[in-house]
């Protein structure tokens, strides 16, 4: 049976047999004895997105009292759920994201802790995923943004919408306005030049 450690764009953590292309964490939220999640879904406001391979290190997933390994289809999924690049294993990406985040949000010399505080307020509403009004029309949203419509999650890429699943993306039009899943401050970072890493199925779906 797969472990309950796959993250959806809405931030839910579920079990899935499909593998992700990024890992990450929200602190310690599992019991290593049973390798199951605790009732809480985060223990730190620093929600990180990490690479699956780093300096040859290997971890047995959810097996010790350390950070809980979570997995994402791609970076766009992680961003939608409210995560950001890790400054340890993805320092270059994290610095690029911070620079774009500063430009997009009109701040300077922002710390990781300060970004986390903004993201934490944007991603949660009374402990549940916070949805935001669209800041612009769907076809104007920057690539990598994700929206929720008709109980489905969609990626915006190339002015088109792609339906999300644990297996990847397929082309599908959104027929209702929908709501913004990706935190607004992250969307502004996308507008300022940060390019989210997308699952290969996104390019295939766009043809």
């Amino acid at each position: 049976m797969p472990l309950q450690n796959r993250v959806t764009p809405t931030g839910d953590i579920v079990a899935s047999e499909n593998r992700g292309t990024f890992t990450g964490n929200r602190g310690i939220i599992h019991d290593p004895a049973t390798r199951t999640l605790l009732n809480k879904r985060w223990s730190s406001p620093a929600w990180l997105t990490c690479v699956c391979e780093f300096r040859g290190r290997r971890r047995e997933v959810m097996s010790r009292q350390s950070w809980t390994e979570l997995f994402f289809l791609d970076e766009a999924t992680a961003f939608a759920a409210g995560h950001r690049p890790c400054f340890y294993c993805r320092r270059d990406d994290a610095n690029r994201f911070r620079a774009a985040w500063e430009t997009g949000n009109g701040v300077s010399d922002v710390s990781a802790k300060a970004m986390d505080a903004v993201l934490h307020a944007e991603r949660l509403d009374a402990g549940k995923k916070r949805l935001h009004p669209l800041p612009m029309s769907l076809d104007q949203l920057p690539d990598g943004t994700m929206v929720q419509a008709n109980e489905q999650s969609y990626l915006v890429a190339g002015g088109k919408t792609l339906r999300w699943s644990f297996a990847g993306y397929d082309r599908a039009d959104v027929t209702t306005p929908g709501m913004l899943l990706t935190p607004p401050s992250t969307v502004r970072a996308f507008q300022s030049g940060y390019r989210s890493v997308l699952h290969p199925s996104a390019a295939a779906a766009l043809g």
Side-chain angles (χ1 to χ4, degrees):
M1 292 291 292
L3 297 174
Q4 186 182 354
N5 57 13
R6 266 54 175 180
V7 182
T8 71
T10 58
D12 295 321
I13 307 173
V14 301
S16 172
E17 294 181 351
N18 295 103
R19 298 180 64 85
T21 59
F22 283 88
T23 187
N25 76 92
R26 304 172 182 178
I28 303 172
I29 57 173
H30 74 285
D31 177 0
T34 60
R35 300 174 76 191
T36 58
L37 292 186
L38 305 174
N39 289 331
K40 60 186 178 181
R41 291 296 178 264
W42 57 275
S43 65
S44 167
W47 291 21
L48 306 180
T49 310
C50 303
V51 291
C52 290
E53 296 183 13
F54 183 65
R55 297 179 181 174
R57 299 175 185 176
R58 291 187 174 274
R59 294 170 59 93
E60 186 176 350
V61 176
M62 298 173 72
S63 65
R64 49 182 168 159
Q65 194 69 18
S66 179
W67 55 272
T68 302
E69 300 90 344
L70 305 175
F71 295 90
F72 312 90
L73 173 70
D74 59 5
E75 192 179 22
T77 303
F79 275 128
H83 290 244
R84 63 159 175 84
C86 172
F87 275 95
Y88 181 62
C89 68
R90 300 182 61 204
R91 180 167 294 275
D92 288 346
D93 290 337
N95 281 327
R96 280 192 290 270
F97 177 72
R98 175 163 56 186
W101 198 92
E102 288 177 339
T103 300
N105 291 283
V107 297
S108 60
D109 298 323
V110 69
S111 65
K113 184 176 181 180
M115 282 195 297
D116 290 336
V118 173
L119 289 170
H120 204 57
E122 291 181 333
R123 64 191 167 218
L124 293 176
D125 181 7
K128 296 182 180 179
K129 176 65 175 173
R130 182 184 293 274
L131 300 177
H132 302 267
L134 295 183
M136 59 198 73
S137 63
L138 274 172
D139 60 353
Q140 293 178 318
L141 287 169
D143 288 3
T145 303
M146 296 196 74
V147 300
Q148 188 79 355
N150 299 322
E151 299 185 355
Q152 291 278 343
S153 300
Y154 296 85
L155 169 73
V156 177
K160 297 178 170 46
T161 52
L162 308 178
R163 183 169 43 210
W164 180 94
S165 75
F166 282 109
Y169 297 102
D170 65 88
R171 180 79 177 88
D173 291 327
V174 175
T175 57
T176 59
M179 297 288 284
L180 186 66
L181 279 173
T182 308
S185 63
T186 298
V187 174
R188 290 190 285 270
F190 293 167
Q191 290 178 293
S192 298
Y194 188 86
R195 293 292 174 260
S196 185
V197 180
L198 306 181
H199 190 266
S201 60
L206 289 171

